Each structure stands twice: as C-alpha cells, then as structure tokens.
Amino acid sequence: MSANKRALLVVAHGSRRAASNDEVRKLTEAIAAKAGTRFMMVAPAFLELATPSIPDGIENCIRTGAQEVVVLPYFLSAGRHVAQDIPAEVDIKRQQYPQVPISIAAYLGSDEGVVELMLGLV
Amino acid sequence: MSANKRALLVVAHGSRRAASNDEVRKLTEAIAAKAGTRFMMVAPAFLELATPSIPDGIENCIRTGAQEVVVLPYFLSAGRHVAQDIPAEVDIKRQQYPQVPISIAAYLGSDEGVVELMLGLV
C-alpha cells in the first residue's frame, strides 16, 4: 500500500460547544501540515454531537480514494468510548468495505509523551 | 517562593470507570517522577465522579505545607469545564486561603506538542 492511498481520521468526542469542535478541526489541519506526504488526506470526525460522524468520515475518505484508513482517537483515557464506541462505529464501515483496511491507533492519553507535555505547561 | 513549597495538582474530569481514574493517578506519578525537585508534591484531583475533589486536593497540598499551588488541567478542549468549572472550584480555596497563590496552568489540549504526539501514534 503506497502511503498516498492512506487516510488519517482524527476522531474526537464532539461537543455541544462549536468552539471545541473547531479546536479539533484546527488540530487536524495542524496534523495534516506536519504529516507531509504520509497520508493522502487527514480529516476530523466525531463520536457524537458534531459532524461528520465516524462512519461518514470514513465514507468520505474512501470516496476520496483512500485504500486504507487509520482512525486516531483524540481521547485521554481508555474508557467506554475508546474501548467500545469507536470500534463499533468503525465496524459499520469495515462490514461495508471489507476490502479497505481500517485500523484504530492508540489513543492520545496512552502516549508517554503526555508526561513531558504536561510538565511543559507549568 | 522556593520551588519546594510549590505543589502541582493534576486535575482530570473523573470517570465512573475506576481504571480511567487510575490512569490519571499513574500519569500523576509519572509527572512527579519527571518533575524532580520542581514541586514539593504532585497530586491528582478530579472535577467530578472521583476523589479527591479539586478543593480537597488543594486543601491537602496546603496542609502538607505548600505555600503555592499550581492546578494543571488534563483536558483536551477549552470547554465549560476548563473555562468555568475548574476556576469555580479553585476560587473556593482562593477565598479560604487568600495568602496562598493558586494558579491555573494552560490545559493539555492547548499545547502545540499534541500535534507531534498524535502523529507519533500512527
């Protein structure tokens, strides 16, 4: 699989507060800028309360030409959302597009780099 | 103010799921280990659903001898929790201990380093 057929979907919880969803969209743009040519596209999706949904986000990646989708959870803890809800949403599209590998990366909070980032704030 | 009279309080949302709260406690320990002598203590506190609460966490810092408390929000977006709820909880103790400076640091999601961390996961 060449890298430029891979899409990255940054998945956040979603908020009733538009500014919070916009923060996620801006983060996604910053990730896209930094990713260079690693992905053919980088897009946001939301578990709830904002659009696009995770299935719609995946659908958009595939319609844009992605032959592989990597789902990246912008979450801090391995709660129900990360352990159950996101996989359930992803499974909808795995069943619809069995030929497209859709993987789920580790969630942000699992990264040890968070420790250093937190200390950088104080 | 000498650094060793400063306490760091890592504040998370709190979860009904004990394992999520334990993740925050472990993160706090990792921050303490990495902070070296920058703080006299590093402790966790929770906005809701877990203990200690933010006021109780601050109280414990002060009773342990802290003459300054830095509250560090382990949150991804500048929503109501970060903008209103955490400051309101902190204000309770500011009024009770006007001689102890209690500051609130930027929240994790505001750090540009998150972009690189996210890309490191994929």
Side-chain angles (χ1 to χ4, degrees):
Chain A
M1 178 70 54
S2 82
N4 62 8
K5 291 295 184 186
R6 252 192 344 158
L8 179 61
L9 195 67
V10 176
V11 171
H13 184 279
S15 170
R16 277 180 196 84
R17 200 173 150 273
S20 291
N21 301 324
D22 286 343
E23 274 189 83
V24 173
R25 294 186 182 100
K26 273 181 197 159
L27 170 73
T28 304
E29 285 168 21
I31 289 172
K34 198 140 203 151
T37 58
R38 286 184 60 193
F39 298 94
M40 63 169 282
M41 64 184 285
V42 181
F46 299 91
L47 185 60
E48 49 189 54
L49 302 171
T51 57
S53 67
I54 297 171
D56 285 353
I58 293 170
E59 178 73 27
N60 189 45
C61 291
I62 292 171
R63 289 193 181 206
T64 306
Q67 290 170 21
E68 183 183 345
V69 180
V70 179
V71 171
L72 177 54
Y74 184 54
F75 281 75
L76 288 179
S77 72
R80 184 172 44 84
H81 291 321
V82 165
Q84 297 170 32
D85 299 340
I86 293 176
E89 296 283 289
V90 166
D91 277 346
I92 294 168
K93 305 310 278 191
R94 281 181 175 145
Q95 285 171 22
Q96 190 180 344
Y97 296 106
Q99 78 284 11
V100 179
I102 310 176
S103 59
I104 304 176
Y107 62 100
L108 173 63
S110 70
D111 193 296
E112 289 182 6
V114 165
V115 172
E116 203 142 344
L117 229 53
M118 291 285 280
L119 268 176
L121 295 167
V122 294
Chain B
M1 179 69 54
S2 81
N4 62 10
K5 291 294 184 186
R6 254 194 341 160
L8 179 62
L9 196 67
V10 176
V11 171
H13 184 280
S15 171
R16 278 181 195 83
R17 199 172 149 274
S20 292
N21 301 325
D22 287 344
E23 274 189 84
V24 173
R25 294 187 182 101
K26 274 181 196 157
L27 170 74
T28 304
E29 286 169 18
I31 290 173
K34 197 141 202 151
T37 58
R38 286 184 60 195
F39 297 94
M40 62 167 283
M41 64 182 286
V42 182
F46 299 90
L47 185 60
E48 49 189 55
L49 302 171
T51 58
S53 67
I54 297 171
D56 286 352
I58 293 171
E59 179 73 28
N60 189 43
C61 291
I62 293 171
R63 289 194 181 206
T64 306
Q67 290 171 19
E68 183 182 348
V69 180
V70 179
V71 171
L72 177 55
Y74 184 54
F75 281 76
L76 288 179
S77 71
R80 186 172 43 84
H81 291 322
V82 165
Q84 296 170 31
D85 299 341
I86 292 176
E89 296 282 291
V90 167
D91 277 346
I92 294 169
K93 305 310 275 192
R94 281 180 176 147
Q95 285 171 22
Q96 190 180 346
Y97 296 106
Q99 78 283 13
V100 179
I102 309 175
S103 59
I104 304 176
Y107 62 100
L108 173 61
S110 70
D111 193 296
E112 290 181 5
V114 164
V115 172
E116 203 142 342
L117 230 54
M118 291 285 280
L119 268 175
L121 294 167
V122 292

